[in-house]
Amino acid sequence: MSRRPVIAGNWKMHKLQSESAELANAVMKELKDIDKAALPEVVIAPVYTSLYAVNKALTDCGCGKVKMAAQNAFYETQGAFTGEVSVEMVKDAGAEYVIIGHSERRQYFGETDEMINKKAKKILELGLVPIICCGESLEQREAGVTDSHIASQIKAALDGLSAEDVAKSIIAYEPIWAIGTGKTCDSDEANRVIAMIRNVVKEVAGADSADKIRILYGGSVKPNTIVEQMSKSDIDGALVGGASLTADSFAQIVKGAM
Ligand code: PEP
């Protein structure tokens, strides 16, 4: 089974509207000479307040080479949830993907496996693609519980989803100790964990979904790491933080995944 690679840029809490539109335009400019069919699926995730501006930049360009994700969304449709933004709302602003369960959201904002599961269901119900993050802390890795921890995160996130919905989803394996630290996980080890995740998907949703689901690696991905990472059997792309904040390095990562 050949899976289309995905390179997703998580801009985290960076950039005002004009800066976000500028970066989106700069990414498209970097990719302008590449045929769309040759590219991986390229996704950028600005902050909520920049969704409209980035969507406008992507739509005005009309090249269709870059898609947009929200960095989060709430599972309720509307109501008394001060400060939250629903999946309907990010869809309305042009997002086609939503990142959920990022370790920063789990750590600083109390996002639980149960919330991530509710978000995944709502995202899929509305025809968007969830990018479901999972990963172990350094303490968990050193205690030898990496695989069991990640398997339980994945089982909880996918609970109650149809095999078809699982196949459409994207998972990002992001060891917490590799995020923003410059310490990339060894590619063979990342591939081993991702193959383990694919086995968990097979267990809960069947072989076809396990073959189709894209599983990305995230954690200090850089232009000089991506080629080796993409050469591994089970790594289908990357979720990129820091290196997605400049068009040049993000585009180099995109090209390295071709
Ligand atoms: C991330 O934000 O998901 C991430 C992997 O960040 P970085 O690439 O900076 O480690």
Side-chain angles (χ1 to χ4, degrees):
M1 148 76 55
S2 77
R3 296 175 288 267
R4 187 172 182 210
V6 181
I7 299 295
N10 172 17
W11 293 357
K12 308 198 188 197
M13 199 175 75
H14 291 286
K15 300 201 179 285
L16 304 176
Q17 293 186 61
S18 57
E19 296 166 333
S20 301
E22 214 172 279
L23 179 54
N25 280 323
V27 168
M28 288 187 290
K29 196 169 165 205
E30 291 278 349
L31 304 180
K32 77 174 182 335
D33 294 330
I34 306 172
D35 191 47
K36 189 179 158 194
L39 281 170
E41 222 164 283
V42 182
V43 181
I44 52 180
V47 292
Y48 285 141
T49 49
S50 289
L51 286 173
Y52 176 82
V54 168
N55 185 50
K56 186 167 180 332
L58 300 182
T59 313
D60 286 353
C61 162
C63 65
K65 291 178 181 174
V66 181
K67 310 277 187 200
M68 188 173 72
Q71 295 175 21
N72 181 34
F74 194 48
Y75 48 80
E76 294 289 352
T77 306
Q78 59 182 24
F81 302 103
T82 303
E84 285 298 323
V85 176
S86 70
V87 178
E88 278 86 348
M89 290 162 184
V90 300
K91 180 179 180 180
D92 184 50
E96 294 177 71
Y97 304 72
V98 184
I99 299 171
I100 52 175
H102 193 282
S103 63
E104 289 152 16
R105 294 219 52 88
R106 293 180 192 255
Q107 186 181 346
Y108 305 129
F109 304 101
E111 196 157 309
T112 63
D113 283 338
E114 194 193 349
M115 289 161 74
I116 292 157
N117 178 244
K118 284 185 179 166
K119 290 178 182 195
K121 283 179 177 153
K122 180 54 97 175
I123 292 161
L124 286 156
E125 185 191 314
L126 293 181
L128 280 69
V129 177
I131 301 177
I132 304 164
C133 302
C134 62
E136 81 287 0
S137 65
L138 188 59
E139 293 70 32
Q140 287 167 323
R141 175 156 283 268
E142 285 172 353
V145 298
T146 297
D147 291 15
S148 58
H149 172 68
I150 290 167
S152 106
Q153 285 184 320
I154 294 302
K155 283 181 186 165
L158 303 182
D159 187 45
L161 298 188
S162 68
E164 207 186 8
D165 277 346
V166 170
K168 286 184 218 157
S169 302
I170 295 172
I171 292 174
Y173 166 55
E174 300 204 302
I176 298 169
W177 49 269
I179 297 178
T181 59
K183 283 187 212 147
T184 315
C185 181
D186 173 76
S187 306
D188 286 323
E189 172 58 9
N191 193 54
R192 185 197 68 75
V193 176
I194 288 177
M196 184 278 297
I197 294 171
R198 206 176 293 289
N199 259 325
V200 173
V201 173
K202 186 174 172 189
E203 214 181 287
V204 299
D208 188 53
S209 304
D211 271 353
K212 287 183 178 152
I213 192 168
R214 271 88 54 85
I215 311 182
L216 319 182
Y217 167 76
S220 298
V221 172
K222 300 280 182 280
N224 65 355
T225 66
I226 189 70
V227 174
E228 184 183 323
Q229 286 155 342
M230 291 306 294
S231 73
K232 302 296 170 190
S233 60
D234 280 81
I235 301 181
D236 300 322
L239 180 55
V240 186
S244 70
L245 287 170
T246 56
D248 172 56
S249 59
F250 187 61
Q252 282 185 52
I253 292 171
V254 169
K255 290 173 194 166
M258 287 171 58

